[in-house]
Amino acid sequence: MRWVRGSVGVIEYRLLVDSGVNGRGDEVGHIVQGGVVSGAGALFQAGQDITVQGDLVVHGVAPERGQPPVGRLLTEVTDPFGLEVHRPRGDERHDPLEGAFVTDPLLYSRRSRLPELPVLPSYVPRPHDVALREARDEAVAGHHRVITLVGASSTGKTRACWEAVRGLPPGWRLWHPINPDRAEACLAGLPFVAPRTVIWLNDAQHYLSGPVGERAAAGLRELLGDTGRGPVLVLATTWPEHFTMLTADPGGHARVLLEGTAIEVPAKFSVQTYETAWTIAARDHRLGTALRRAEDGQVVQYLAGAPAILERYRYAPPAAQALVHAAVDVIARCGGRDLSAALLTELGAQYLAGRSELRRGDWFSSAVEYLTEPCRGVPGPFEVVNDPSGQTCYRLADYLVQELTWRRWNVSCNAEFWNSLLAHATPAQLPLLAVQAEARHLYRCAYRAHRKAGGPVRGRIAALPLRSRGGSARPVARHGVCGARRCRAQRGSTASLCATDAEGGAERSTVYWPASRGRRLRSGGSAGEIRPAP
């Protein structure tokens, strides 16, 4: 047994520890006597299991919370890809000495005598790294800090965070909440965050949007307001449009949490960065190749394989392109990242309607095989993942999501598409699905999404008055998701929204706005999304 003294933030402790050494060389044991010497709160109690490095307790149980702290020691976090850092592309048979592709096997053998390169290309510091390091150093000094890196896909946001946390001193932990759902995992684990923890919120929109995300943001604000539980460093990344969405609500917890934390990550290398990069490229041929071949200064995108992924999509067979388009449309209308095989099969068949020759045999497996094949060392447009229940799902590459979403934003989807979304949407996707349907005046779909989510009916749907004639509600629409039967309804009817949907796909007919809109719509349009006649 020996005495251990140390500090966690402003709290100093003195513990009598009965310990031994485990197979990894760590000193482990439990507390026999002692506790907090000075500071706020009680972190340790007798009988508690701990891990010690020197005189520093690096793994303990907070007695008032009843379970070990979340996350892992940074010394145990060695896989950057587990934290969703993009895998670099691999230029096969590239000779770093000549700067060209080698076709002669004898010349190619020289590469085997070169030292083995790390899994990630050499890092090139940029201006945003300076601000990131300053925030990290302030957290090490004992202060709570929140940093949000904002930039387009494949610009190096997650890699910058990875480089920053590697400079933290021993004893820090890293927590990456992902299971069962990102926002739910974050909310559930917040009470068990120990001091000196990095909270890793890659793609912050998945953690802080929606009802559960707002509660998670509120929990983070509460944690960061408690100086006795610090220091805590929150590292978040997101795209510009998602950051705008998260900070749009003036009274939202996400806006208050993220306000003043944004650091822009540029999409291109500046002239000064290029000069630094060429110096670093002398010891890593992958970086040198990217500097020579990247277009318009987009070196990071080249390293992440973005051009190869886009090329794979452009020259994909029609069935594979249909699956990519379906995935983009789903993500734009109800969010999420992982799409089930059942949903993709159903939507792919809809997108290939009228082209039966493309749906012969096992067309779905062939299309998925094409999309999941690696592109020059990085995953293809589709990446195979498993959801919390173990079901096989497919994740569309971030670069394709960003590149294609704006191109397909005004594409109209028919009634079958929206019915499929309602049937397959997860509880976390339903609120956004309701909002997107209502924005397209698909009130029946929005109503059903609200009801399926189990929450109250909100927005314009809740304001639609009942209109009855002869004691029975007169429906605005009876066909499909949005309705397509001709009716001159003066006002909408909430009761009609829960009427049974007709089977079959989109219908072609004439649809009318409620009288407050006062305009007749174009006849012969798709029933999936309604647009005013010119």
Side-chain angles (χ1 to χ4, degrees), residues 164-337:
V165 299
R166 293 176 67 189
L168 288 169
W172 276 77
R173 310 177 67 82
L174 187 144
W175 177 42
H176 182 207
I178 55 175
N179 187 32
D181 176 81
R182 293 176 183 247
E184 292 177 358
C186 182
L187 181 62
L190 284 175
F192 311 106
V193 174
R196 293 187 299 176
T197 296
V198 178
I199 302 178
W200 189 274
L201 304 182
N202 189 47
D203 291 331
Q205 68 275 9
H206 299 305
Y207 293 94
L208 305 177
S209 60
V212 180
E214 268 293 284
R215 293 167 59 197
L220 284 167
R221 290 183 60 197
E222 183 179 8
L223 168 63
L224 297 171
D226 186 351
T227 57
R229 295 180 63 187
V232 170
L233 175 61
V234 180
L235 294 180
T237 68
T238 191
W239 296 349
E241 55 266 34
H242 293 152
F243 185 81
T244 302
M245 179 266 294
L246 291 172
T247 56
D249 184 2
H253 291 292
R255 172 170 179 164
V256 178
L257 175 70
L258 300 179
E259 199 167 22
T261 68
I263 298 177
E264 182 183 2
V265 178
K268 305 175 183 179
F269 272 21
S270 64
V271 175
Q272 294 79 5
T273 304
Y274 257 107
E275 294 175 354
T276 304
W278 277 117
T279 304
I280 299 174
R283 58 179 182 267
D284 192 334
H285 71 272
R286 295 171 295 183
L287 179 58
T289 301
L291 291 171
R292 285 190 298 271
R293 298 186 177 182
E295 297 180 0
D296 199 21
Q298 297 185 342
V299 178
V300 180
Q301 292 88 330
Y302 182 91
L303 287 169
I309 293 175
L310 192 58
E311 181 181 273
R312 175 70 60 84
Y313 156 74
R314 284 174 177 166
Y315 301 108
Q321 280 198 354
L323 293 183
V324 171
H325 293 164
V328 172
D329 294 342
V330 170
I331 293 171
R333 285 158 179 80
C334 63
R337 304 183 70 195

Side-chain angles (χ1 to χ4, degrees), residues 393-408:
C393 296
Y394 300 95
R395 180 177 296 171
L396 185 63
D398 286 347
Y399 188 77
L400 277 184
V401 174
Q402 188 170 50
E403 186 71 18
L404 298 181
T405 297
W406 68 273
R407 297 185 185 182
R408 298 187 57 80

Side-chain angles (χ1 to χ4, degrees), residues 267-463:
K268 305 175 183 179
F269 272 21
S270 64
V271 175
Q272 294 79 5
T273 304
Y274 257 107
E275 294 175 354
T276 304
W278 277 117
T279 304
I280 299 174
R283 58 179 182 267
D284 192 334
H285 71 272
R286 295 171 295 183
L287 179 58
T289 301
L291 291 171
R292 285 190 298 271
R293 298 186 177 182
E295 297 180 0
D296 199 21
Q298 297 185 342
V299 178
V300 180
Q301 292 88 330
Y302 182 91
L303 287 169
I309 293 175
L310 192 58
E311 181 181 273
R312 175 70 60 84
Y313 156 74
R314 284 174 177 166
Y315 301 108
Q321 280 198 354
L323 293 183
V324 171
H325 293 164
V328 172
D329 294 342
V330 170
I331 293 171
R333 285 158 179 80
C334 63
R337 304 183 70 195
D338 305 334
L339 308 177
S340 66
L343 175 59
L344 286 174
T345 303
E346 195 171 312
L347 294 181
Q350 295 174 17
Y351 281 50
L352 295 174
R355 305 184 68 180
S356 58
E357 72 280 1
L358 299 177
R359 292 184 283 118
R360 292 174 181 170
D362 195 0
W363 66 271
F364 180 78
S365 297
S366 300
V368 166
E369 183 179 358
Y370 175 89
L371 293 172
T372 54
E373 184 179 351
C375 300
R376 301 178 189 174
V378 298
F382 274 7
E383 183 178 358
V384 181
V385 296
N386 291 324
D387 65 6
S389 65
Q391 181 184 5
T392 299
C393 296
Y394 300 95
R395 180 177 296 171
L396 185 63
D398 286 347
Y399 188 77
L400 277 184
V401 174
Q402 188 170 50
E403 186 71 18
L404 298 181
T405 297
W406 68 273
R407 297 185 185 182
R408 298 187 57 80
W409 188 254
N410 291 324
V411 173
S412 296
C413 299
N414 61 22
E416 286 180 310
F417 174 89
W418 290 94
N419 283 328
S420 297
L421 286 192
L422 281 170
H424 294 277
T426 64
Q429 293 175 315
L430 287 170
L432 179 58
L433 175 59
V435 171
Q436 292 289 338
E438 184 177 333
R440 292 166 169 80
H441 309 290
L442 310 182
Y443 298 127
R444 181 191 297 262
C445 180
Y447 179 85
R448 289 174 61 191
H450 279 305
R451 298 291 293 179
K452 188 175 180 180
V457 178
R458 302 180 182 275
R460 202 177 301 165
I461 304 296

Side-chain angles (χ1 to χ4, degrees), residues 507-525:
E507 304 232 355
R508 296 187 178 275
S509 184
T510 303
V511 186
Y512 294 87
W513 296 101
S516 58
R517 298 278 178 172
R519 290 191 294 174
R520 175 175 172 174
L521 298 187
R522 183 185 305 170
S523 179

Side-chain angles (χ1 to χ4, degrees), residues 49-60:
D49 294 328
I50 59 172
T51 303
V52 181
Q53 289 182 357
D55 284 340
L56 186 67
V57 176
V58 296
H59 183 84

